[in-house]
Every structure is written in C-alpha cells, then in structure tokens.
Amino acid sequence: MASEDVVGKSTGESAVTTIVNLAEEAKLARKGVKAPGYAVLSICKSLVAGGVAGGVSRTAVAPLERLKILLQVQNPHSIQYNGTIQGLKYIWKSEGLRGLFRGNGTNCARIVPNSAVKFFSYEQASSGILWLYRRQSGNEEAQLTPVLRLGAGACAGIIAMSATYPMDMVRGRITVQTEKSPYQYRGMFHALGTVYREEGFRALYKGWLPSVIGVIPYVGLNFAVYESLKEWLIKSNPYGLVEDSELSVVTRLGCGAVAGTVGQTVAYPLDVIRRRMQMVGWKDAASVVTGQGRSGGAPLEYTGMVDAFRKTVRHEGFGALYKGLVPNSVKVVPSIAIAFVTYEVVKDILGVEMRISD
C-alpha cells in the first residue's frame, strides 16, 4: 500500500510528517487519484499564508504588545507604566515613535516563521487526526469535534513555539530595554549571541515550560473556538450571515476575536511567569524588571516555574499574575482576528486547497 511506503521511507521521519502523508494519500485514494509525492508547492503556499498573517497582525498592535511586556516585568518599586493610556503616553514622551515599535522587527522575525509553522502544523495535524478518527469510527463523513480541534491546535502551538523559542526569549529582552539601559542589544542575532556567550545555551530556553503549558489552552482554544464557531454559523446561518456557503470577512473577524479573548484569558498567568523567567540572569535589566518585592536593584532569582508563581504571588499578590491584561486584551483580539482572516485571504489568493473538509 502507498501508506506503508510512506512509513518505510525513513526511520528518522517525524510522526507529524508521517500522519500528513497518510492523510493526503487517504484523501486522494477516496477521489480515485494516484497519490503523488509530498505536495511541496501546496505546503509552501500554506507556510507563506501563515507567515504573512503573523507579520501583519503583530505589526498592527506592536505598541500594545510592548506595553504589555513592560507591565509584566517592571519593578514594582519603580513604577513607570501605570495603565494602558498612561503607559503609551509615557513611551511616546520618553522614547518617541520608535519607542512604540521597539522590538517589533525582532518580533516579526520571530512571528513570521512561528505563525507559518503553527498554521501549517494545525492543518496537517487536523487532516491526520480526522483521517484516524474516520478510520477508527468507520464513518467516512465524520468531522472533527471541538476536543479533536483543541488537540490539533495544541500540537501546532507546541511545535511552532519550540522551534522559535530562542527568538522569543531575546525579543522579550529587546522589547523592555530603553535608551537608558546600561547595555544595548543591537538586534536579534546580537542578542542571541550575547545571551549564549554570557549565560549559556540553556538560557535561551528560560521560561520554556510555562510556555508549553500555556500553549495548550491558548493556541488550542483559539483554533477550537474559531473553527467550531465558524462551522456553527455556516450550519445555522443566524441573521443571514452566510452567503454562498461562506462567511464574510467581518464575520470571520468576529470569530477570531472571540477565539482570541477566550484563549488569552485562560493562559495569561503563564505568559506573565514565562516573561519574568526570561529576564532571570540579565544583570543589566535589574532597574527595569521585577525584583521579587525587595529593593529596586535586587536581581531576579527563580529556581523554576513553581517558584516563580510562588514568589510573584507572595510579594505582589495574585493580581500580579494579570499585569498587562488590559493592553493584552485590547491587543490580542484584533491581532488574532486579523491573523486568521489574513491567513484565509492569502490562502485564497494563492489558491491553496488544504481544508480538512474537502
């Protein structure tokens, strides 16, 4: 069988790739078409669509993204940013327009491949899971349930986040540094080299564990809620929102907004802890980041994720786990919505046909 050939091609082939090949061949077999090799062009188009979606959405909300991170990690004994409006005004007054977009270049350099891999992995994981689900249930017309979509979204998020985590780590540090910082990272590659040289390879993955845990509810719920809401709207067509079996861009924007709100609210405390752990060991950030509730110049010392949770709550209260939630809420809703819509629009323009419902 063709699927057996796929499994036997290489012992080093990833499980995800194997499932992708099986799913693609199964779909083609049902259509009576001989399975070709891996559909490289279609994959590249999907990756491009995901990359464009990530870059556009993050650039649109870059000022709010930077303010969120500053609120998450600032020293509680040296408050400079005290709310969304005041924080944006302070950045504008002290750093100008460039300050509002500080770190955005690094963020785009990270988010483009991250989003590309995430969206692509989700479609492929969904196709594989659906194929396995139909095979196990014996129902060739079965569709993904919300739980299965959650699993596919979580897998996609973990794969994408792990692949680009070092870039996210240094992006956080570049974002919080100002012109008054004692040491300046000159860019992403300079920051990567400096952290590796001064703190070691493991430092590039500080905060990785809460990131992985946070990916499950955040990305998983984003995809699950978005896809399920879209499917429900198409089937029930409330208020005449469906035209020619398709949702309008505005309706899809709304679905993305709802999905983003649910995901970010559930996972936010893990994002705060992740960002604080990324600052550990950065001696030149002592006057910027949180100092465990002690004197302003005290360095951060977390032995792990649980220790970071414990010390944050002990010295600053439970509310510290939601610092920056307001600008993040304002940011994440349009960001996720724009990302989803841009992805689907670019896919349509490029002629990508990879929907699992085909």
Side-chain angles (χ1 to χ4, degrees):
M1 290 177 61
S3 59
E4 293 174 344
D5 294 336
V6 172
V7 176
K9 280 181 182 177
S10 171
T11 56
E13 189 173 26
S14 69
V16 173
T17 303
T18 301
I19 291 176
V20 170
N21 287 340
L22 288 169
E24 289 298 314
E25 293 188 14
K27 184 168 71 174
L28 290 168
R30 289 197 301 272
K31 294 180 178 180
V33 180
K34 184 178 180 180
Y38 204 64
V40 177
L41 181 60
S42 209
I43 295 167
C44 291
K45 288 180 178 180
S46 187
L47 287 172
V48 169
V52 172
V56 171
S57 64
R58 289 307 177 97
T59 299
V61 296
L64 290 167
E65 172 69 11
R66 186 182 183 219
L67 177 61
K68 179 203 75 171
I69 296 176
L70 288 168
L71 288 170
Q72 287 178 331
V73 304
Q74 74 172 336
N75 193 313
H77 297 281
S78 181
I79 300 296
Q80 297 176 336
Y81 311 96
N82 189 24
T84 305
I85 303 300
Q86 182 276 334
L88 291 173
K89 287 182 177 179
Y90 184 86
I91 294 173
W92 173 267
K93 182 179 179 180
S94 60
E95 302 180 59
L97 180 63
R98 291 183 61 184
L100 292 172
F101 289 88
R102 186 180 297 276
N104 185 54
T106 304
N107 191 27
C108 286
R110 176 194 69 87
I111 202 62
V112 168
N114 179 278
S115 292
V117 175
K118 181 174 66 179
F119 278 104
F120 168 67
S121 298
Y122 175 72
E123 290 213 355
Q124 300 310 308
S126 297
S127 296
I129 291 173
L130 178 60
W131 181 81
L132 292 173
Y133 179 57
R134 286 175 172 174
R135 183 180 181 183
Q136 186 177 39
S137 65
N139 181 9
E140 288 298 315
E141 301 300 322
Q143 297 297 320
L144 288 178
T145 65
V147 173
L148 293 177
R149 287 198 180 104
L150 180 64
C155 288
I158 292 173
I159 291 171
M161 182 275 298
S162 298
T164 60
Y165 191 82
M167 288 188 284
D168 178 69
M169 189 273 183
V170 299
R171 192 266 299 195
R173 292 192 176 186
I174 291 173
T175 298
V176 302
Q177 73 179 6
T178 66
E179 294 180 356
K180 297 180 181 179
S181 297
Y183 182 79
Q184 295 285 326
Y185 291 128
R186 296 193 296 270
M188 181 180 69
F189 292 108
H190 178 251
L192 287 168
T194 302
V195 172
Y196 175 76
R197 184 173 58 255
E198 296 183 355
E199 303 174 46
F201 178 78
R202 292 183 62 185
L204 295 172
Y205 281 88
K206 286 178 178 177
W208 180 83
L209 181 58
S211 296
V212 170
I213 297 174
V215 158
I216 296 175
Y218 183 66
V219 178
L221 285 173
N222 275 342
F223 278 112
V225 173
Y226 178 76
E227 293 290 346
S228 297
L229 188 56
K230 252 185 30 173
E231 182 179 319
W232 175 76
L233 287 173
I234 291 175
K235 287 183 177 180
S236 60
N237 192 21
Y239 310 109
L241 295 175
V242 180
E243 296 180 3
D244 298 325
S245 300
E246 289 291 337
L247 296 176
S248 67
V249 172
V250 174
T251 303
R252 282 183 285 172
L253 193 68
C255 292
V258 173
T261 300
V262 174
Q264 67 93 19
T265 301
V266 173
Y268 194 78
L270 288 162
D271 186 56
V272 173
I273 295 303
R274 168 186 69 136
R275 200 60 71 185
R276 292 189 172 196
M277 291 179 69
Q278 289 177 347
M279 303 298 148
V280 174
W282 188 21
K283 61 182 183 299
D284 295 317
S287 62
V288 178
V289 302
T290 305
Q292 290 186 337
R294 298 183 293 186
S295 62
L300 286 164
E301 295 178 359
Y302 297 140
T303 59
M305 182 182 69
V306 175
D307 184 56
F309 267 110
R310 181 170 56 84
K311 289 178 178 177
T312 296
V313 174
R314 176 196 298 172
H315 295 293
E316 301 175 59
F318 183 78
L321 297 176
Y322 286 90
K323 284 185 174 180
L325 179 62
V326 174
N328 189 62
S329 297
V330 177
K331 169 193 74 70
V332 78
V333 171
S335 177
I336 295 296
I338 292 171
F340 275 116
V341 174
T342 303
Y343 175 69
E344 293 199 354
V345 169
V346 175
K347 270 208 325 179
D348 291 340
I349 293 174
L350 295 175
V352 181
E353 298 181 355
M354 298 182 66
R355 296 180 182 276
I356 58 175
S357 60
D358 288 346

